Amino acid sequence: MIRGVLFDLDGTLLDHRAAADAAIADWLAARFPGHPRGAEAPALWAALEGPYLARWQAGECTVQEQRRLRLRALCRELDVPEPGPGTDGLDAAYADFAARYRRSWTAFPDAAAAVAALAGPSGPALGVLTNGTQPMQEAKVRAIGLAGPLRTVLTGEVLDGHFKPSPAAYTGAAAALGLAPEEVLLVGDDVVRDVTAPAVTGMRSAWLDRLGVERAPAGFPRITTLAALPALVASLG
């Protein structure tokens, strides 16, 4: 029986890609107006995100160090001067990007209604399981108006350093809801982190396939909109 539902955040409830793309495009245009590769900046920034976040999550560097490394890599790729002087310049430049990113935070149109349909005294326990930094992910949930029903926001920073797809991330998240993994459904857009990896612990999962660009994993429920989630939860008991 499903007694808890965990949502991924970026790409599931919040349109992270649109926000990050807009922010890095604005950041580059403000610093280097008319850059000949300006149109490529969002894709380049997106490609750098995963590898550098993975280094932080693996404990190879701090979150601030990975931000500096990522910004340096983007500057090298675009052949523009690195912000300076030293790390202070990089930190200030990243803070500028982050401010633009925050201003672009927007929930997907189907998010609020789906969460509201599941919320309530007789509904499942609700929470968020995400791989970002704890303060930023909590701020995102507040910014998109879901802090009421989604009071439990869990990242690796509060799960003893365990980030998705570590099995301990899922077992720890279930425990935070006061439930066993098999009583929890995780819904998200990442096929590995949100769908196939939780199954190792017995946690149920559903793939939110907003884009339709990946092959569906066999044996897992697939939805194309969060509007379909309440019915799915009901069908699973």
Side-chain angles (χ1 to χ4, degrees):
M1 180 176 183
I2 300 301
R3 298 177 57 201
V5 175
L6 287 168
F7 292 88
D8 172 55
L9 181 53
D10 296 327
T12 298
L13 298 173
L14 180 142
D15 194 346
H16 162 71
R17 191 73 275 137
D21 287 356
I24 201 65
D26 287 349
W27 180 90
L28 184 66
R31 288 170 178 266
F32 306 101
H35 192 284
R37 297 181 65 194
E40 299 175 52
L44 293 170
W45 188 243
L48 292 167
E49 183 178 278
Y52 284 102
L53 283 175
R55 291 179 63 175
W56 162 58
Q57 291 160 6
E60 297 175 7
C61 60
T62 68
V63 67
Q64 193 64 15
E65 285 168 345
Q66 71 84 19
R67 290 168 176 168
R68 295 167 187 160
L69 291 169
R70 187 160 32 130
L71 200 53
R72 280 174 171 153
L74 180 70
C75 290
R76 285 195 302 270
E77 179 62 35
L78 294 174
D79 194 25
V80 297
E82 179 182 308
T87 57
D88 287 345
L90 286 166
D91 291 346
Y94 190 91
D96 181 21
F97 159 76
R100 297 171 192 272
Y101 174 53
R102 287 173 182 269
R103 289 196 293 269
S104 297
W105 287 347
T106 305
F108 284 104
D110 55 4
V115 172
L118 294 172
S122 60
L126 301 178
V128 171
L129 178 60
T130 171
N131 271 1
T133 62
Q134 189 70 27
M136 179 172 282
Q137 301 305 78
E138 290 178 350
K140 287 178 181 177
V141 174
R142 291 193 299 270
I144 61 176
L146 296 178
L150 298 178
R151 286 185 287 272
T152 302
V153 178
L154 303 165
T155 72
E157 291 185 327
V158 298
L159 293 172
D160 297 325
H162 300 295
F163 293 87
K164 296 182 294 185
S166 167
Y170 309 112
T171 56
L177 295 181
L179 300 171
E182 57 269 21
E183 297 177 300
V184 177
L185 175 74
L186 172 60
V187 58
D189 66 306
D190 189 287
V191 171
V192 174
R193 294 182 181 91
D194 300 322
V195 184
T196 57
V200 175
T201 69
M203 183 175 284
R204 307 291 293 274
S205 59
W207 182 35
L208 176 61
D209 181 18
R210 291 191 182 278
L211 302 178
V213 296
E214 295 183 76
R215 180 175 297 178
F220 294 92
R222 171 183 171 271
I223 56 177
T224 58
T225 170
L226 288 176
L229 182 61
L232 175 62
V233 173
S235 73
L236 296 174

